[in-house]
Amino acid sequence: MQVTAFLLGMLVFVVYTVLIRAFYTVKPDERAILTSFGRARRIGRLMVEDASLNEEEKQRYRFPRLQVIGPGGPYFKWPWQEVHKVRVVTEAIDLTWDPTKSQHTIEAVTKDNLTTGVGGQIRFRVSENNLYAYFFGVDKPLEHVMGYFISVLRERIANFVDPKGESLVGDTELSTGSAAAELSEGVSINDLRKNLPLLNDYMEQQCRSTGARYGIELDAALITQIDPPPEVDRALSAINTTRNQVAADISTARADAEQQITMSKRAVDIARNNAQAEVAPLKELANTLAQIKTTGGPGALRTYIRNLRVPLLKRATRIVQTAAPK
Amino acid sequence: MFFDSDFSLGPIVAFVIGVLYIPILLAIARALGLYAIVREREAQVFTLFGKVIGTLDEPGLRFPLGYFGLKALLVPFFGKLYRVPTCLRQHYLRDQMVNSEEGTPMGVGIWYEMQVSDPVSYLFSNANPEGSLQANVASSTISTLSNLEMDKMLEDRHQLSRRVRAAVSPLSEQWGYALGSVYIRKVAFTDRQMVDNITDKVVKRLVQVTSAMKQDGENRVGLIKSETAYKVSQKMAEAAAARPAIVGEALNAIAQQDPEVLNAVMEVMETEQLIASGAQVDVLPVDSEILVQL
C-alpha cells in the first residue's frame, strides 16, 4: 500500500513536471528562447555581428546568436529546460527615466554654456537578433541604453551649432552696421530649437549600435523640448515680436511710399494735361489768325482786332478825344 | 474521515515522499557537488582548504568530479562554492567635483560599464572591488579633467572619456574587472550664481540682438521715407515745370511761324479777358501826352 502510494507520488511528480509544465505557448508580441541546464540554445557558432562597432568594441560585445522561438505553440520542453519570454513590441520611455533618481527634465549645457532642460521620449524594442545580450549579457539593458543615450545626447548638445551657419538674425534682416557681424554667430539654444529633427537624427544614428551592444534597438529619438530658463525664453520671444514689428513698420513705410510716389506721378500728368488744355485754344486761335492774315493780308488782321475791341467802347464810361488839326 | 481510528497516515506520508523524492535527491546530489548547473554569464569558483581548485564558467550541466577529481567531493564539507555573475553591468558616478583651468567649479558625472573578467581575482584580490573601481574611476576622472579649459571639458567629452578608461583599465584588470565603455555623462556648473550669470549673459545678448533689429528697422523705415520724399519732390517739380514748358513751346512755335500772328493772338486774348472782366473802360487817344486822372 505504502509502496504503491510512494510510486503514485513519484508518478504525480513526473506527470506534473514532464506533461503539465512541459507545454508552453508564445504570444504574437513575444519571442522566447530555451535554456537547457542553464545553457541557452545557440545557432551553431554564429555570433552577433554589427558593422557599426569598431574592432575593440566587437571584442567587448561578443554575444552568440540564439535560436529564437516565434509566436505559436503549444511547444514542448523537458523538465531541465527553461523558457525565457520577452515582448518585442515597440515601447516608449521618457528621457527623464532614471531608476536611481527622480527628475522632471534632463539638464544639459549648450555650446554657449547655458544650462537648459531637455525633454522627450525614446522609442525602443528588444532586438530579436541579440536576445542573448538582453537576457544574459547585460545586467539591466534599458538602464544601459539610457546611460549611453544621455551621455551621447549631452555631448552633442554641448557641441551643437547650426549646420547651415545661420545666425540668430537672418541675412536679410540686418542690413549693415557693426552689430551685424557680431550677431552673425548663432545662439546655441536657438540653433538647437531650430534643428531638433537634426538632433533626433543624429541620436538615432549614434544609437544604431545599441542592438549589438545591449540587445535593445532604438526605434526613434523624440526630443521634443529644449527648455531654457524662463528669462531666456522671454528674450527669444521678444526677438520674434521685434522681428514682426519691424517687418510691419517696413511694410507700412513701403505702402506709404508707393502711395506718395503714385500720387506725385499723377500730379505730373495732371499738370501736363492742364498746360495742354491751356495751349490748345492758343494754337487754334493762332491758326485762325494766320489764315485771316494769309487770306486778307496784315490789314485784315488789324481790322479783326479793331472789330474785337468794339464791345469795349460800349462799356466805356469816359472818352477823351483830341481835336483833329485843321 | 481523517480522524477515523481505522485511518492510517502511512500511505499519505509515502505519497508525499514519492512526490518530493526526485527533487530532494537532485538537491542532495547538487549539495554534495556531484553535478553543477552553470547558468549563462555565471562563473562558479570552487575553493577547498582555502585554495582555489578551479572555476566553471561554461554554461550547462557540469560534473565537478570530471574537472577537479575527488577533491570536488570535499568542497561541500571543507570548501566553498562562489557564484560570480559575469554579465555586463553599469554604474553612474554622480557629481565628481573638478576645477577648470579658469577656476570654475564643475560637477562631472561619469558612466561606465564593467564586467568580471577574472572571477578569482574579483573574489580574492580586493575586499571591495566595486568600491575600489569607483574610487579609481573618480580619481582618474578628477585628475584627467582638472585644470582643463572649461570649453574643452564641455566639448571634448568622448576623447576625455577614453583617457579615463585608459588610466583605470590596468588597475581594474588586476582586480578581475574589465572596464567597458566609459562616458562622461554630465558636465555641469555647480555654482548657482555662475549659472545665473551665464543665463544673464545670454539674455543680454538676445536683448542686444532685439535692439539692433529695432534700430535697423527704424533706419530702414527712415531710408524708405527719405527716398520717397526725394522721388516725390522730383515729381512735384516736374509737375510745376510742365505748364511753362508746354505753353512756352507753343508760343515759340507760333512766333517762329509769324511774330505778327503771335502779337495778334495775344491782343485777342487780352481783349477777350478785358471784355469778360466787366471793368470800367476809359478810352484815350493813342497820341495823348497828358496824364489823365481817373
Side-chain angles (χ1 to χ4, degrees):
Chain A
M1 178 71 179
Q2 280 148 346
V3 172
T4 309
F6 173 77
L7 291 173
L8 188 68
M10 278 184 74
L11 186 70
V12 166
F13 174 80
V14 169
V15 166
Y16 174 71
T17 53
V18 176
L19 294 179
I20 295 172
R21 287 191 61 221
F23 295 98
Y24 64 95
T25 55
V26 180
K27 291 178 190 166
D29 61 345
E30 285 180 337
R31 298 293 178 273
I33 56 132
L34 215 54
T35 55
S36 302
F37 295 113
R39 182 184 176 85
R41 288 198 306 175
R42 290 152 164 78
I43 304 174
R45 291 177 173 274
L46 278 180
M47 303 301 280
V48 174
E49 297 283 337
D50 193 306
S52 62
L53 299 177
N54 61 38
E55 282 309 310
E56 192 260 341
E57 285 170 335
K58 280 177 184 170
Q59 291 306 311
R60 269 195 279 139
Y61 304 106
R62 260 180 79 80
F63 300 117
R65 291 282 303 273
L66 300 183
Q67 289 181 20
V68 180
I69 300 158
Y75 297 109
F76 178 81
K77 74 172 183 68
W78 291 106
W80 53 84
Q81 291 183 320
E82 199 179 340
V83 182
H84 300 259
K85 295 180 189 175
V86 65
R87 293 183 75 209
V88 289
V89 291
T90 301
E91 293 176 69
I93 192 166
D94 204 272
L95 270 185
T96 56
W97 179 80
D98 188 338
T100 61
K101 188 185 177 186
S102 171
Q103 54 188 1
H104 301 292
T105 186
I106 294 285
E107 265 191 11
V109 179
T110 63
K111 194 170 173 67
D112 49 9
N113 300 341
L114 182 73
T115 303
T116 184
V118 181
Q121 285 188 329
I122 61 169
R123 278 206 312 257
F124 68 93
R125 62 176 171 268
V126 173
S127 171
E128 269 187 68
N129 297 326
N130 195 7
L131 286 177
Y132 187 93
Y134 182 81
F135 281 119
F136 312 112
V138 180
D139 186 27
K140 291 167 185 164
L142 192 56
E143 267 185 66
H144 256 82
V145 170
M146 287 305 284
Y148 175 77
F149 184 90
I150 299 297
S151 303
V152 174
L153 176 66
R154 283 195 175 124
E155 190 269 344
R156 184 61 181 151
I157 286 173
N159 285 290
F160 196 89
V161 287
D162 192 305
K164 296 170 201 156
E166 283 179 9
S167 63
L168 181 66
V169 181
D171 292 341
T172 55
E173 286 186 293
L174 271 184
S175 45
T176 50
S178 58
E182 202 177 317
L183 298 173
S184 62
E185 288 177 48
V187 171
S188 298
I189 192 77
N190 200 54
D191 292 352
L192 282 163
R193 277 184 162 175
K194 275 195 303 185
N195 295 288
L196 267 183
L198 204 70
L199 185 64
N200 283 324
D201 289 348
Y202 175 83
M203 290 311 299
E204 284 168 33
Q205 185 192 325
Q206 286 295 303
C207 292
R208 272 188 198 138
S209 63
T210 56
R213 284 170 175 245
Y214 312 124
I216 288 184
E217 289 172 355
L218 189 79
D219 183 56
L222 305 165
I223 299 155
T224 50
Q225 288 169 278
I226 303 284
D227 292 326
E231 49 267 54
V232 173
D233 236 351
R234 279 196 294 273
L236 282 166
S237 300
I239 285 180
N240 287 326
T241 308
T242 305
R243 181 181 285 129
N244 294 334
Q245 187 59 55
V246 164
D249 289 350
I250 288 170
S251 297
T252 307
R254 281 186 179 147
D256 286 350
E258 276 174 30
Q259 194 183 344
Q260 286 184 41
I261 287 166
T262 307
M263 187 200 73
S264 62
K265 281 178 182 170
R266 293 286 168 270
V268 171
D269 293 342
I270 291 163
R272 281 180 190 278
N273 291 338
N274 286 340
Q276 293 288 5
E278 194 180 334
V279 158
L282 256 177
K283 284 179 175 174
E284 210 49 50
L285 181 62
N287 286 339
T288 307
L289 295 179
Q291 272 180 357
I292 290 168
K293 188 185 174 186
T294 309
T295 310
L301 202 60
R302 277 194 297 276
T303 308
Y304 171 76
I305 292 165
R306 278 186 70 188
N307 175 61
L308 182 72
R309 286 178 181 163
V310 170
L312 281 176
L313 296 174
K314 282 182 186 174
R315 295 226 317 263
T317 53
R318 204 170 24 161
I319 296 175
V320 179
Q321 253 187 337
T322 52
K326 291 189 177 174
Chain B
M1 173 185 171
F2 285 101
F3 301 100
D4 202 308
S5 57
D6 293 338
F7 180 75
S8 168
L9 283 172
I12 295 169
V13 172
F15 176 80
V16 170
I17 290 169
V19 169
L20 298 175
Y21 184 72
I22 294 172
I24 289 169
L25 209 65
L26 289 171
I28 290 167
R30 211 165 40 241
L32 290 172
L34 296 177
Y35 79 96
I37 291 174
V38 182
R39 303 195 172 280
E40 292 285 354
R41 297 284 162 153
E42 181 190 63
Q44 295 187 1
V45 180
F46 291 80
T47 62
L48 180 65
F49 302 121
K51 286 182 181 174
V52 176
I53 59 168
T55 303
L56 295 178
D57 54 9
E58 188 62 31
L61 180 65
R62 298 284 168 259
F63 298 98
L65 269 168
Y67 289 90
F68 316 123
L70 292 172
K71 283 190 284 185
L73 297 174
L74 298 175
V75 171
F77 307 104
F78 305 106
K80 194 175 177 183
L81 167 62
Y82 296 89
R83 294 174 194 275
V84 180
T86 58
C87 62
L88 194 65
R89 283 183 285 160
Q90 51 98 40
H91 189 78
Y92 183 28
L93 270 178
R94 295 177 191 272
D95 302 325
Q96 302 301 305
M97 297 298 295
V98 293
N99 278 326
S100 70
E101 190 187 45
E102 300 90 340
T104 312
M106 310 280 284
V108 175
I110 190 144
W111 179 83
Y112 59 93
E113 295 171 347
M114 56 196 179
Q115 189 174 14
V116 174
S117 57
D118 180 355
V120 176
S121 298
Y122 170 76
L123 287 169
F124 306 115
S125 294
N126 191 314
N128 182 8
E130 281 177 40
S132 300
L133 184 66
Q134 281 178 32
N136 257 344
V137 171
S139 70
S140 175
T141 302
I142 291 163
S143 64
T144 304
L145 301 186
S146 280
N147 299 322
L148 277 177
E149 288 171 32
M150 193 169 72
D151 287 347
K152 191 175 171 63
M153 207 185 290
L154 284 163
E155 292 172 25
D156 291 354
R157 298 180 196 200
H158 288 350
Q159 194 186 339
L160 297 168
S161 300
R162 283 192 285 273
R163 274 167 60 182
V164 170
R165 183 166 181 261
V168 177
S169 281
L171 256 177
S172 69
E173 296 282 350
Q174 286 176 25
W175 301 330
Y177 256 132
L179 203 62
S181 299
V182 176
Y183 286 102
I184 292 170
R185 180 163 152 173
K186 187 176 184 179
V187 180
F189 299 103
T190 54
D191 184 13
R192 188 66 234 172
Q193 197 182 347
M194 184 160 187
V195 172
D196 293 343
N197 284 346
I198 291 166
T199 304
D200 204 33
K201 176 195 80 174
V202 173
V203 169
K204 279 177 178 159
R205 184 152 171 240
L206 293 171
V207 168
Q208 183 197 354
V209 170
T210 311
S211 304
M213 281 174 73
K214 204 179 280 184
Q215 187 57 57
D216 188 68
E218 284 171 10
N219 293 347
R220 284 182 179 205
V221 168
L223 195 65
I224 290 165
K225 283 182 174 173
S226 61
E227 280 174 355
T228 306
Y230 172 54
K231 284 177 183 171
V232 167
S233 70
Q234 270 186 320
K235 286 289 174 190
M236 296 314 279
E238 203 179 317
R243 186 184 172 279
I246 292 166
V247 174
E249 190 188 345
L251 294 174
N252 282 340
I254 296 165
Q256 276 175 4
Q257 212 174 12
D258 189 345
E260 199 180 348
V261 170
L262 178 64
N263 283 333
V265 167
M266 294 316 293
E267 271 189 62
V268 168
M269 288 182 76
E270 285 162 5
T271 308
E272 281 175 349
Q273 290 297 320
L274 194 60
I275 292 164
S277 72
Q280 289 184 343
V281 177
D282 290 337
V283 183
L284 298 177
V286 177
D287 52 355
S288 171
E289 290 177 3
I290 54 164
L291 181 68
V292 180
Q293 292 283 334
L294 297 171

